Amino acid sequence: MRNVAKRAFCPGLIVFLAAMLALVSGVAIAQNRQQPQVKPPTPSGGETSTIPSILVAPDEDYRIGSRDVIEIKVEDAPELSSTYQVNADGTFLMPYLKRVVAKDKTPEELSRFIGDGLRGRYLKDPQVLITVKQFYSRTFFIQGAVRRPGVYQMEGHPSLLKLITVAGGLAENHGSTAFIIREVKKKPSDASASGSDSKPEPRPTTVAAQKPGERSAEPAVDDIEYTLKTVKISGLFIGNFDQNMYVEPGDIVNIPISDVFFVAGEVNAPGSFPLTDGTTLRQAIALSQGMTFNAASGRGVIFRQDRATGQRLELPVDVGAVMKGEGEDITIIANDIIIVPNSKMKTVGNAVLKAMGMGVAQRGVYRY
């Protein structure tokens, strides 16, 4: 009876112990499980930049520019302490001192200038503190094939290389050319006729009173021109700094994605390929891993769109001769379509050879 009881009791005890062990293990795992860590999203190509609003140049102090917002605090003179926005001409109106020139001055220089103007006549020993609240005069725009396109506000005089680096560097699909668009205001026609050497005074129209609900006067479209500069950036990050140039505040830097060309027909790896400067037909065929056995290499065609007229052109080319070095290599341009046609005779011959090869393999080889 005892043996029977032991036999009946042992399996039940084993099952109970196994269940308890599984329950304890589950609780321990649940307690030791780490909470998921929430990480801020990392910016990728095409996302707007979320870097700080102003990048400080370590080698120079910030100089106030047009449209900047500055806060002025004058000790023991709350009636003079306020926030001002610098006008387009680089000046702003301040009680008692009237019009003050702030452009191209550092905050320290401007505080010294205001303190000198108030000293003796308004305050015995004025203490002036100036803080730049909003930076609008050092704004740079970069878009296109960079990792963090957007609007950047930087002190100093950055170069194109530095601006691209701040924007996260070039994206993988970047082209080899950057376009810098710069806004230039037309000079008045009578500016050259003026013989005065003195500094030009601000025009009265810039400080005219504004009626309620009326928008501030903006320069007419006819008064603004744009210049376009082209920079080759393909070698900029490998030591070719001859194309590096300084960008000006307000410049728009556009880096288009790389152009492509297409290879189709009797090649081993047809498809689209990124176009770099100086790509030739021989390189294009090499990128597509060469021609197949069935290729009619002497009857190749390059379909190209004429940039001037928009018409499609068909350029016959002997691809075989070019690959052997017997024909002139052709430079490929954006959106070219290279077609290597099929040779019917080679196709039939290849099919026959394959059939014969399969037949010999099936019958085996006999010695005579």
Side-chain angles (χ1 to χ4, degrees):
M1 289 294 291
R2 285 182 181 177
N3 293 336
V4 174
K6 285 182 179 179
R7 290 176 184 174
F9 174 74
C10 289
L13 180 61
I14 292 174
V15 172
F16 176 77
L17 292 176
M20 291 298 295
L21 180 62
L23 180 60
V24 172
S25 300
V27 172
I29 292 174
Q31 289 177 349
N32 293 331
R33 184 178 300 163
Q34 296 180 354
Q35 295 295 327
Q37 298 180 357
V38 180
K39 297 182 179 181
T42 55
S44 59
E47 292 185 1
T48 305
S49 168
T50 56
I51 65 169
S53 59
I54 185 70
L55 300 176
V56 180
D59 56 345
E60 59 180 301
D61 293 330
Y62 179 75
R63 295 192 176 273
I64 300 169
S66 302
R67 304 303 181 189
D68 283 353
V69 177
I70 58 177
E71 182 182 36
I72 301 178
K73 292 183 179 180
V74 183
E75 188 177 353
D76 298 330
E79 67 278 6
L80 300 179
S81 303
S82 183
T83 302
Y84 304 89
Q85 183 174 28
V86 182
N87 295 330
D89 59 2
T91 66
F92 66 96
L93 287 174
M94 184 177 177
Y96 185 73
L97 293 180
K98 304 302 181 185
R99 187 161 296 280
V100 178
V101 179
K103 189 175 182 181
D104 294 332
K105 289 185 175 70
T106 66
E108 185 177 353
E109 292 172 349
L110 183 58
S111 64
R112 191 182 307 119
F113 177 81
I114 294 175
D116 292 341
L118 297 175
R119 182 172 287 106
R121 295 182 297 172
Y122 197 90
L123 292 172
K124 184 177 180 181
D125 186 20
Q127 301 296 320
V128 182
L129 176 64
I130 294 180
T131 306
V132 182
K133 304 297 290 184
Q134 296 180 11
F135 301 83
Y136 287 134
S137 61
R138 295 290 176 180
T139 302
F140 303 86
F141 305 86
I142 185 167
Q143 61 185 11
V146 290
R147 299 187 184 278
R148 292 194 298 268
V151 182
Y152 291 85
Q153 294 171 333
M154 303 172 62
E155 292 185 3
H157 203 196
S159 63
L160 178 62
L161 178 62
K162 183 180 291 186
L163 181 59
I164 294 175
T165 304
V166 169
L170 296 169
E172 295 181 358
N173 60 342
H174 72 90
S176 60
T177 305
F179 299 97
I180 301 177
I181 304 171
R182 183 169 297 169
E183 181 179 313
V184 180
K185 292 183 179 180
K186 288 184 179 180
K187 294 182 179 180
S189 57
D190 58 346
S192 59
S194 176
S196 175
D197 295 332
S198 60
K199 275 190 173 182
E201 293 295 330
R203 290 182 295 179
T205 53
T206 59
V207 294
Q210 188 174 337
K211 297 179 181 179
E214 183 182 7
R215 296 183 62 183
S216 59
E218 296 180 357
V221 178
D222 295 339
D223 295 337
I224 298 176
E225 291 181 344
Y226 292 94
T227 61
L228 179 65
K229 292 186 178 182
T230 304
V231 180
K232 296 293 182 181
I233 59 172
S234 52
L236 198 58
F237 285 85
I238 57 175
N240 298 331
F241 303 124
D242 55 332
Q243 291 292 313
N244 194 21
M245 62 175 295
Y246 288 104
V247 289
E248 299 291 339
D251 280 357
I252 302 174
V253 178
N254 180 33
I255 303 177
I257 62 174
S258 60
D259 294 319
V260 296
F261 65 92
F262 306 88
V263 184
E266 292 296 332
V267 290
N268 291 303
S272 62
F273 301 90
L275 179 68
T276 57
D277 290 339
T279 300
T280 63
L281 176 61
R282 185 180 298 144
Q283 294 172 342
I285 298 299
L287 286 172
S288 60
Q289 300 181 13
M291 295 179 288
T292 65
F293 177 81
N294 299 331
S297 60
R299 294 189 287 110
V301 179
I302 298 177
F303 292 99
R304 177 173 295 177
Q305 187 174 16
D306 191 339
R307 295 179 179 178
T309 62
Q311 296 180 350
R312 190 182 70 171
L313 306 177
E314 296 184 12
L315 308 178
V317 58
D318 189 341
V319 182
V322 172
M323 297 303 292
K324 294 176 183 177
E326 300 173 356
E328 182 181 359
D329 207 355
I330 301 174
T331 301
I332 303 301
I333 65 174
N335 300 318
D336 274 359
I337 303 175
I338 304 168
I339 303 294
V340 181
N342 176 276
S343 172
K344 294 183 179 179
M345 185 174 293
K346 286 185 178 181
T347 303
V348 174
N350 192 24
V352 172
L353 288 175
K354 286 183 178 179
M356 292 177 61
M358 290 179 63
V360 171
Q362 290 175 356
R363 291 191 296 271
V365 180
Y366 298 94
R367 294 183 178 180
Y368 295 95

